[in-house]
Amino acid sequence: MSRAGIRVYLQVYKTQIIRSMTYKFEVYGNILMQSIIMLASAYFWKALFKNSDTVKGVDVDTMLIYTVVSAMISVVLTCNVERRIMTSVDKGTIAIDMMRPVNVFGVFLAEDIAGITALVFQNMLPILVIGCLFIKLPTPAGPAHFALFLVSLFMAFWINWLIACMFGMIAFWTLNMDALIQVKKHLIRLLSGSIIPLWFFPAWLRNILEWLPFAYLYQLPLDLYIGKYPVSSAQCQRGLCVQLLWLVLLTMGFLFLQKRVTSKVMIQGG
Amino acid sequence: MEQEKVVIEVNHICKQYKVLKKGEGIKGALKGLVTRESRLVPAVDDLSFQIKAGEIVGFIGPNGAGKSTTIKMMSGILTPTSGEILINGMDIQKKRKEVVRNIGVIFGQRSQLNWDLRLGESYELLRHIYQIDKAQYEETLDVMDQILGIKELLDKPVRQMSLGQRVKGDLVAAMLHSPDVLFLDEPTIGLDISSKYALRKFVKEINEKRKTTIILTTHDLADIEQLCDRLIIINHGHLMEDGNLSEIVNRIAPYKTLVVEYYDEYAPEHDKCELCFHEENVAKYRFGKKEITAARLIEELSAKAQIKDVSIEEAGIDDIIRVAYGQ
Ligand SMILES: Nc1ncnc2c1ncn2[C@@H]1O[C@H](COP(=O)(O)OP(=O)(O)O)[C@@H](O)[C@H]1O
Ligand SMILES: [Mg+2]
């Protein structure tokens, strides 16, 4: 990538951060929603663990940490790229966006990263404070676990963004995608471990989910954070490998779709 | 001389769109998913022309003639099925990235501005995308401010702008990187009078001040009358006419119209001209300049009925369009 290209993305990032910082209303709504889900989950787990010290090898304190960190991860996994693509296809401006001497998807990515940066301050910190006050201080299992958590979270961000971007690209073929996006959102919420850890699922379902990308958005980073498995364990290594595999696959899928979309616009006129 | 330099050269371009055949009902839809039958819709068929530096060319034709398709191909958005387009001597297909830097394009009713940003933020972004240095950017903004008064809008969020303000914003956005060529596809459609006026002023002045070559499509005859020296008329993707406005008028509409107001409702016919309009006391006669003179026609008509008033209309663009479109 050229220096000029990077400068464009930095400019996008800068502009978008300033903009995101001024969008107050949405932000408060988000904090409220996240906090309610987080607090409700915490009470649910406390009730569940009333009669037993550990369930599935995890104690109640760990489960509370899980809840708080999951809410914080959700900030890193927010993106707007689907809607961005849909509106520019809808408005018919995507062709000109793609004609500019800069990669339009790079611009969308920079916008999303800027949005997340703003949300770290506007959402993640308030959630952390609320979590600490009312639930528990979420300390990681150890330095090695925390380091792997960061690696895995980074990959989770990319997997999430690539899936969203490819979903958005479907808009080039069919315009009405709102239902599809809703389905995807709920699938992720349910099957990623964001609310209920996958260990509570029946074995057959777990075996399937282990090979789908959803678990690598929340479950794997969370397992690493709470230290569900030792750092050197096979589960740990296999998890990170499958996550990396998904990252590679999705990147290839993205590059393929990007090519298809570009040639569709150039030949079919959008 | 600068005027002689060819900026745009279009050589035998064709464009066919591939359209998927849609079956009927659910059965047809399912079948369509599997077989994907398609047919080709011809939009542009063997079009060639050249445009010189500093020209303002009106690109006209009825709906579906292929105007937008041609504009998209010339601005690098759409790939021609065959043929080539050279901008400043460079093939737009082969050197797209380079060529595109020299092109500005505006599609009426499709704002390119980001609704979530302030106008100035959008411009700052474009400045980075096209790598325009600060000094040149400021200079362009100064020029644009003189023409459109754009500076007072820079801090305004695009979302809150009126249509007229957004049009101004789009015009400046398309000119920020100082392109040699500007394409405008139906830029005045849906605009109020004062925005139309601003747009025409803009086109005239950037053409004068920056020597920008401008190609515009429009259905508004006033746009053409006030802006264009040259017309290219297409229909069904074919070139119908290409030339100087008055030259085309003289050639394909070599007639005038005599408007006569009688004292009576009776309007006599005349064998050397066509009675093309008659309502109440007013009649219009279209006559060829070679067939008969106006003085003679008035004289002969007044012998048959008493005339109150006369006036003469020159053939205009609407006449050429009627003839050229074959309506
Ligand atoms: N994206 C497209 N897919 C299929 N057919 C198209 C597409 N765009 C335009 N056409 C067809 O091509 C022809 C020319 O269209 P267009 O260039 O938009 O004409 P104009 O701008 O002169 O009204 C029309 O018959 C139109 O239906
Ligand atoms: Mg059109």
Side-chain angles (χ1 to χ4, degrees), chain A:
Chain A
M1 199 191 304
S2 63
R3 286 246 314 269
I6 290 174
R7 234 178 281 144
V8 176
Y9 300 132
L10 281 178
Q11 180 67 25
V12 172
Y13 180 80
K14 215 170 82 191
T15 314
Q16 202 64 23
I17 266 202
I18 295 169
R19 180 181 101 71
S20 305
M21 287 297 187
T22 57
Y23 253 32
K24 286 286 173 260
F25 193 71
E26 235 175 68
V27 166
Y28 293 137
N30 236 330
I31 296 176
L32 193 70
M33 267 302 293
Q34 287 295 342
S35 302
I36 290 173
I37 293 177
M38 182 172 73
L39 291 169
S41 307
Y43 283 111
F44 172 77
W45 296 123
K46 276 184 186 162
L48 193 80
F49 279 77
K50 214 162 203 167
N51 303 319
S52 45
D53 285 346
T54 63
V55 178
K56 303 268 175 190
V58 177
D59 61 16
V60 69
D61 283 347
T62 310
M63 216 41 241
L64 295 180
I65 292 175
Y66 188 102
T67 308
V68 176
V69 177
S70 171
M72 288 166 68
I73 290 180
S74 74
V75 166
V76 180
L77 302 186
T78 16
C79 60
N80 195 31
V81 60
E82 287 151 328
R83 293 213 171 270
R84 241 354 217 108
I85 297 177
M86 271 162 63
T87 41
S88 16
V89 173
D90 211 20
K91 271 171 64 190
T93 54
I94 191 78
I96 301 176
D97 288 340
M98 291 174 79
M99 191 194 75
R100 298 232 149 93
V102 63
N103 186 321
V104 69
F105 299 107
V107 171
F108 294 160
L109 176 65
E111 284 179 5
D112 274 340
I113 295 178
I116 290 171
T117 313
L119 281 182
V120 164
F121 297 100
Q122 295 175 321
N123 256 341
M124 198 189 259
L125 285 181
I127 286 172
L128 178 62
V129 170
I130 293 172
C132 288
L133 288 179
F134 298 103
I135 303 174
K136 192 170 166 43
L137 181 74
T139 43
H145 275 106
F146 188 65
L148 285 184
F149 160 77
L150 287 181
V151 171
S152 161
L153 184 63
F154 179 75
M155 290 200 273
F157 161 78
W158 275 106
I159 290 176
N160 183 62
W161 193 85
L162 288 169
I163 292 177
C165 186
M166 286 159 76
F167 247 76
M169 286 180 184
I170 300 174
F172 283 88
W173 286 274
T174 49
L175 272 178
N176 204 337
M177 302 233 325
D178 285 331
L180 218 57
I181 288 182
Q182 285 301 320
V183 169
K184 182 196 128 209
K185 198 174 109 186
H186 292 298
L187 273 183
I188 288 182
R189 183 164 275 180
L190 211 66
L191 302 180
S192 66
S194 80
I195 299 175
I196 305 166
L198 300 183
W199 341 300
F200 289 108
F201 286 36
W204 64 269
L205 186 55
R206 220 166 49 221
N207 287 338
I208 298 173
L209 290 180
E210 252 170 45
W211 294 102
L212 295 182
F214 306 116
Y216 299 93
L217 297 177
Y218 284 89
Q219 187 69 61
L220 180 68
L222 282 165
D223 280 351
L224 291 166
Y225 194 93
I226 63 169
K228 182 89 169 66
Y229 314 106
V231 168
S232 55
S233 67
Q235 278 109 321
C236 229
Q237 284 162 11
R238 202 186 57 182
L240 284 168
C241 283
V242 178
Q243 192 182 30
L244 183 64
L245 191 70
W246 269 113
L247 184 56
V248 171
L249 280 178
L250 289 167
T251 305
M252 277 161 37
F254 165 78
L255 291 175
F256 172 76
L257 262 185
Q258 185 186 14
K259 230 178 175 171
R260 284 291 304 270
V261 158
T262 310
S263 80
K264 178 165 164 46
V265 168
M266 295 281 298
I267 290 167
Q268 288 290 86

Side-chain angles (χ1 to χ4, degrees), chain B residues 75-132:
Chain B
S75 50
I77 295 171
L78 204 60
T79 315
T81 312
S82 64
E84 62 165 11
I85 295 168
L86 307 179
I87 308 266
N88 283 334
M90 281 184 289
D91 189 322
I92 196 161
Q93 289 312 311
K94 290 181 189 140
K95 300 199 166 176
R96 190 157 163 268
K97 276 229 166 91
E98 215 176 319
V99 174
V100 153
R101 277 177 193 279
N102 243 324
I103 290 175
V105 57
I106 289 172
F107 292 97
Q109 293 189 320
R110 282 188 188 180
S111 178
Q112 280 301 300
L113 304 168
N114 187 334
W115 282 50
D116 295 327
L117 300 181
R118 289 168 202 284
L119 188 62
E121 290 172 336
S122 274
Y123 289 175
E124 199 51 38
L125 219 54
L126 285 171
R127 181 171 90 72
H128 282 82
I129 289 176
Y130 288 99
Q131 299 173 48
I132 308 159

Side-chain angles (χ1 to χ4, degrees), chain B residues 1 59 75 170 182 294:
Chain B
M1 221 173 84
F59 197 61
S75 50
D170 262 310
L182 181 63

Side-chain angles (χ1 to χ4, degrees), chain B residues 201-260:
Chain B
K201 179 166 177 250
F202 169 86
V203 168
K204 255 190 206 144
E205 294 202 11
I206 60 157
N207 175 255
E208 272 164 24
K209 289 189 176 143
R210 310 209 131 195
K211 302 283 167 271
T212 310
T213 308
I214 294 160
I215 293 92
L216 66 108
T217 77
T218 182
H219 289 290
D220 189 333
L221 302 183
D223 289 345
I224 298 169
E225 235 151 21
Q226 291 175 27
L227 296 174
C228 308
D229 328 309
R230 177 174 161 199
L231 280 190
I232 294 178
I233 305 178
I234 65 169
N235 199 0
H236 302 301
H238 298 289
L239 188 77
M240 307 298 285
E241 294 291 337
D242 177 1
N244 200 284
L245 182 56
S246 53
E247 183 266 320
I248 295 182
V249 173
N250 274 328
R251 185 158 43 78
I252 73 174
Y255 48 74
K256 298 182 181 191
T257 305
L258 178 71
V259 184
V260 183

